Amino acid sequence: MSDNILEQELKKAGSPELRPTRIGREDEGFREGMILVTTLIIMMVITIIGAGVLFTSRVELTTTNTYRQNFSAFNYADAFAHLGIRAADAIASGTKEDVMDHLKYKLSDLFDIEVTDKIDDLNADESSSRFSVKNRYLNLGNNSSTLQPDLIIKDKVSRKVIGAIMISHDLVKAASGGFQVGSSMAIADKANTGVGNVSLQYYVITASGRDPNATGVETFFSKDDELGFSGPQSFITVLYSVVKGG
């Protein structure tokens, strides 16, 4: 009787030979589950690190591109300031056609330079547009029928506007109490033994420059949208005097 009872108990508990096999399978499944979880965690960490590296790279590329465009815009503005000086030399005693001939002699292969009609009235123009700093910049950044710069420079290849030049008068107070149009009092011409005199014509030249590869509107001020994005631009202002014979 006792042997039968023992056999029944063993059957209820299962065969002793099968117990290690069942436990081994449970341990193997647990290890596989842990490996899967660990792999998923590692993959998630790698994804986060990769996303961080990608974001940092994009920020660095954007910063580098912006720096390059700013540097290019400054170089163009500096070059156009020299064009403005050439234009002032020509217009001091000349006309619009003289300015065009003076600028396009060696620059026609590099830029397309448009000289607007308003430059013809520069020396006689006593309006606020030639004295006001605000109006100088408003004219510089526009290209409408009423507001436009004296010179507009376009890239030869892309035909984009990459710069503009505005020439204004310096504020010189005359003896009468009013303001002379950009000229000083006559001074003796010492190189001519004191016979005759010369005068100085003062101009304020402001030039803007932008990278030809920059996106956005071509001028920094839009008549229809005052917040139009034009990309990096540089502005250079110089005070220049032209010696004129009396």
Side-chain angles (χ1 to χ4, degrees), residues 77-143:
D78 183 62
F80 298 153
H82 288 278
L83 291 185
I85 291 174
R86 289 190 179 187
D89 284 332
I91 200 62
S93 303
T95 63
K96 170 187 173 181
E97 286 69 25
D98 296 322
V99 175
M100 294 173 61
D101 292 340
H102 195 57
L103 294 182
K104 292 185 177 180
Y105 177 65
K106 291 184 178 180
L107 299 173
S108 58
D109 294 335
L110 300 176
F111 311 109
D112 283 328
I113 304 174
E114 176 185 346
V115 182
T116 60
D117 293 334
K118 64 187 302 182
I119 201 171
D120 263 333
D121 302 324
L122 172 63
N123 293 319
D125 188 357
E126 298 185 20
S127 66
S128 62
S129 63
R130 293 297 182 185
F131 289 99
S132 168
V133 175
K134 174 184 176 181
N135 287 335
R136 184 168 76 245
Y137 278 94
L138 289 179
N139 280 273
L140 184 70
N142 253 293
N143 193 21

Side-chain angles (χ1 to χ4, degrees), residues 42-95:
I42 293 174
M43 290 180 64
M44 183 178 65
V45 171
I46 293 175
T47 302
I48 294 174
I49 294 175
V53 172
L54 178 61
F55 176 77
T56 303
S57 299
R58 293 185 63 180
V59 170
E60 290 178 351
L61 287 174
T62 302
T63 303
T64 302
N65 186 56
T66 302
Y67 173 79
R68 185 194 62 78
Q69 289 185 350
N70 275 293
F71 190 72
S72 177
F74 176 81
N75 287 336
Y76 276 106
D78 183 62
F80 298 153
H82 288 278
L83 291 185
I85 291 174
R86 289 190 179 187
D89 284 332
I91 200 62
S93 303
T95 63

Side-chain angles (χ1 to χ4, degrees), residues 106-238:
K106 291 184 178 180
L107 299 173
S108 58
D109 294 335
L110 300 176
F111 311 109
D112 283 328
I113 304 174
E114 176 185 346
V115 182
T116 60
D117 293 334
K118 64 187 302 182
I119 201 171
D120 263 333
D121 302 324
L122 172 63
N123 293 319
D125 188 357
E126 298 185 20
S127 66
S128 62
S129 63
R130 293 297 182 185
F131 289 99
S132 168
V133 175
K134 174 184 176 181
N135 287 335
R136 184 168 76 245
Y137 278 94
L138 289 179
N139 280 273
L140 184 70
N142 253 293
N143 193 21
S144 63
S145 57
T146 56
L147 293 174
Q148 61 180 183
D150 294 312
L151 291 92
I152 301 171
I153 303 98
K154 295 182 179 180
D155 182 63
K156 196 74 174 179
V157 178
S158 65
R159 301 292 301 164
K160 289 183 177 180
V161 175
I162 56 175
I165 300 171
M166 187 69 189
I167 304 175
S168 301
H169 300 304
D170 189 20
L171 294 177
V172 180
K173 194 171 184 179
S176 60
F179 289 101
Q180 288 181 265
V181 181
S183 63
S184 69
M185 296 176 60
I187 58 176
D189 184 3
K190 299 301 182 181
N192 195 24
T193 65
V195 179
N197 55 58
V198 296
S199 63
L200 295 178
Q201 193 85 12
Y202 291 100
Y203 297 104
V204 180
I205 303 168
T206 300
S208 68
R210 68 191 303 268
D211 186 359
N213 298 318
T215 58
V217 296
E218 296 181 351
T219 54
F220 69 90
F221 180 85
S222 172
K223 181 181 65 174
D224 300 322
D225 180 12
E226 296 185 11
L227 298 178
F229 179 72
S230 59
Q233 290 198 47
S234 288
F235 304 89
I236 294 179
T237 298
V238 296

